[in-house]
Amino acid sequence: MITVQEAEKLILDSIGSIETEEIALEKALGRCLRESVLADRSLPPFDRATMDGIAINSSSYNTGLRKFKICGTAAAGSPQEALSDLKSAMEIMTGAALPLHADCVVKIEDVEIKGGKALLPDGLKLDFHTAVHSQASDCKTGDELLSPNVKISAKEIAIAASVGKSKLLVSKTPKITIVSTGDELVSIDQIPESHQIRRSNDATLGAALESAGFQEVNLVHIPDDPEQIETELRQILSSCDALILAGGVSKGKFDYVPEILAKLGVSIRFQWVSQRPGKPMWYGQFSRDGSRLPVFALPGNPVSCFTCLRRYVVPALEKWLQMPASKPVYAKISHDMSFKQELTLFVPAMIESRPSGELWAKPLLFNTSGDFISVAKTDGFLELPRGRKVFPEGEAFVFYPWPR
Ligand SMILES: Nc1nc2c(c(=O)[nH]1)N[C@H]1C(S)=C(S)[C@@H](COP(=O)(O)OP(=O)(O)OC[C@H]3O[C@@H](n4cnc5c(N)ncnc54)[C@H](O)[C@@H]3O)O[C@H]1N2
Ligand code: MOO
Ligand SMILES: [Mg+2]
């Protein structure tokens, strides 16, 4: 049996990089950028007024002039104007280009306008570029404003739009198929017999992937019939980009998944990880047309497959898309815990951000890894490392938030 860290490394080291495609900027939110975005000109492109007021030359004010003749108005969007001389002022709006010969802006609250003149009080602090956003002070032509491998959020959209990128090169969205197996499982709209349950894992995993930014998810259910599993998986492997199975991976007589995956040519990278929940987890890859599709077979217990999806599958898919790895979040455990087994324990926990600025996690004592009802109250899980037996209150551990 391998450790959590070994499993994580085997997965991440085996994952390549997905192909790219060009898409419209309006569709780019949440996607992974795969090109550099350069400044097509300096920003701001001109000396930009940051206040509504008057534009003057500060040396005139600083040598005693208080009354300036108003020589015109500079509006945002109109070409650059010019002061008629150093003793004149121009009314100016936020966003307008600073007129020639002016070097600062006095906000309108500090100005009295009377009979075509602007009267200024004593004591203003006016210098070169007061209330002016200087040309090229944010970036220069050719500067790299966005580098590849960032997840595109609203702030990256602003930058791309400002430099005229109406299209962006991004990672393709993989077509992911989620397969649940099991004869005991009926669909949501059926009334289960007393020995049956409605299936929920597939819907949960699909929703978790969607909220992590993977929109093309397809759900399939297959009964515990080896021939049917083989036929359907062969078909799925010929068309999807990634396959995630839930259930049928452990040691039961009807747990056919690992054997059938091997028969279909999916090469196993590992099975059995020293962790709870999720010990029977299986990972492999399927070669098709020169690329290797990731195949995860997660243990069927609802908390196990949800935890494994968060701990291994989402980071692997993000790496495949070249997304930056998310930074670890630490939280202090709010109660003493002990756990005697030689396993890493993923313990679901409620998070509390205290006024001291510390993040605390209250572990949930849940029934079994079938108890998804209790786990729904939690915000994520703490990873309590293997090789330790006690976890004292106040010690910090890595916390993994659930996808939301
Ligand atoms: N002899 C052993 N038995 C088991 C071991 C072991 O090491 N030795 N491991 C246990 C652990 S840990 C887990 S986790 C489970 C994993 O089992 P499988 O992956 O084979 O999953 P199933 O047997 O198909 O189902 C387990 C459980 O989960 C329910 N389930 C499955 N799919 C769904 C679904 N889509 N929606 C809701 N619930 C689902 C299923 O009804 C079962 O109750 O094995 C242990 N056994
Ligand atoms: O991985 Mo199993 O998760 O403990 O039920
Ligand atoms: Mg089983």
Side-chain angles (χ1 to χ4, degrees), residues 268-323:
I268 180 172
R269 296 279 176 258
F270 64 79
Q271 184 174 19
W272 305 105
V273 183
S274 56
Q275 60 188 14
R276 171 168 301 160
K279 191 160 94 174
M281 182 180 159
W282 188 105
Y283 170 67
Q285 286 181 310
F286 182 67
S287 296
R288 196 188 69 210
D289 308 329
S291 46
R292 282 173 295 155
L293 324 183
V295 179
F296 296 90
L298 309 180
N301 269 324
V303 183
S304 314
C305 62
F306 196 42
T307 304
C308 290
L309 184 93
R310 171 63 186 88
R311 181 66 180 80
Y312 302 103
V313 181
V314 171
L317 296 178
E318 287 175 344
K319 182 167 186 223
W320 192 27
L321 265 62
Q322 302 284 291
M323 296 268 193

Side-chain angles (χ1 to χ4, degrees), residues 388-404:
R388 297 257 315 253
K389 296 202 170 17
V390 287
F391 304 93
E393 175 186 332
E395 189 172 339
F397 297 97
V398 179
F399 175 78
Y400 290 86
W402 298 126
R404 42 184 290 161

Side-chain angles (χ1 to χ4, degrees), residues 248 250 252 255:
S250 189
D255 289 337

Side-chain angles (χ1 to χ4, degrees), residues 180-182 184-185 197-202 221 224 246-252 255 272 277-280 298-302 304 369 372:
S180 64
T181 62
E184 74 283 23
L185 303 168
I197 56 168
R198 291 195 185 91
R199 56 179 183 265
S200 56
N201 286 350
D202 36 0
H221 179 73
D224 287 324
V249 298
S250 189
K251 293 191 188 283
D255 289 337
W272 305 105
K279 191 160 94 174
L298 309 180
N301 269 324
S304 314
S369 47
F372 57 96

